[in-house]
Amino acid sequence: MGGSLTREVLTALAEGGVAAIPTDTVYGLAARPDLADAVEKIFVLKGRPPEKPLPVLGASVDQLRGVVRFDDDAERLADSFWPGGLTIVLPRADGFDFDLGGEGADTVAVRIPRHSLALALLRETGPLAVTSANPSGEPPAATPSAVRAYFDDEVPILDGGAAAGEASTTISLAGGLKVLRAGEISEVELRQSLMS
């Protein structure tokens, strides 16, 4: 795996810490979802309200099957748009009982990013809880230097260069397709994929 500070990032994540990683659009604060203290650190670092649950990124659909339950529509959309700019909110998988915020949330937002360095990391670590690397209310960090300006030396950074791109489209499939946040992939494209 390329990138600087890789060993420091892997060690931090393995030991229940938080690391900053590149994604398709911004840098994110990442932690292992099975380590409650690590997830809590993300909320504290960001000043994120606890009622806003964290999404989970994975390197493959098979990885994410341990996080959420895929139905036929989710499988079809994953085949069409992952890795890439689609976040899908799905029911939690049996046994995935970890607290990601959002008290009693029975769903998890999941995505496979297309950033090659993020994918390489996720293949090694397994799924990670990830949210944008900025204090709540501040602009997202698109570069390692922006992450450093926000968090100084509090988190190691996996340097993947500048991140740039349109935000992911976020959807729910509960009771049919519902767009929760418009983004890179249009609702027309999504519906066409479901009909094909």
Side-chain angles (χ1 to χ4, degrees):
M1 187 189 333
S4 63
L5 300 180
T6 303
R7 187 178 309 281
E8 187 181 351
V9 165
L10 288 170
T11 300
L13 293 170
E15 294 178 351
V18 174
I21 68 170
T23 71
D24 305 339
T25 54
V26 297
Y27 274 74
L29 295 176
R32 285 180 43 182
D34 58 324
L35 300 176
D37 288 348
V39 170
E40 178 62 23
K41 286 175 189 171
I42 290 181
F43 283 93
V44 171
L45 280 167
K46 277 186 68 78
R48 184 181 176 96
E51 62 271 14
K52 290 182 67 176
L54 300 176
V56 172
L57 300 186
S60 67
V61 170
D62 282 344
Q63 258 193 9
L64 291 173
R65 287 188 205 288
V67 178
V68 293
R69 296 194 309 270
F70 285 83
D71 61 13
D72 290 343
D73 285 347
E75 295 272 3
R76 192 172 293 116
L77 292 173
D79 285 345
S80 297
F81 299 107
W82 283 351
L86 179 64
T87 300
I88 308 175
V89 178
L90 293 168
R92 282 176 179 258
D94 295 337
F96 188 81
D97 301 323
F98 309 116
D99 184 4
L100 299 173
E103 187 176 330
D106 57 359
T107 58
V108 180
V110 293
R111 184 165 70 87
I112 299 176
R114 74 169 62 90
H115 194 289
S116 60
L117 192 55
L119 286 172
L121 177 72
L122 291 161
R123 280 192 283 274
E124 204 155 327
T125 63
L128 295 172
V130 181
T131 186
S132 60
N134 57 287
S136 290
E138 295 294 328
T143 63
S145 60
V147 175
R148 186 70 65 223
Y150 282 139
F151 301 109
D152 197 27
D153 293 322
E154 291 184 82
V155 295
I157 301 169
L158 185 62
D159 188 345
E166 191 175 350
S168 67
T169 300
T170 302
I171 64 166
S172 171
L173 292 174
L177 172 66
K178 180 179 180 183
V179 176
L180 304 177
R181 180 183 72 188
E184 179 180 325
I185 300 164
S186 71
E187 184 172 350
V188 171
E189 291 174 288
L190 294 168
R191 294 193 181 281
Q192 286 174 341
S193 178
L194 290 176
M195 291 168 52
S196 61

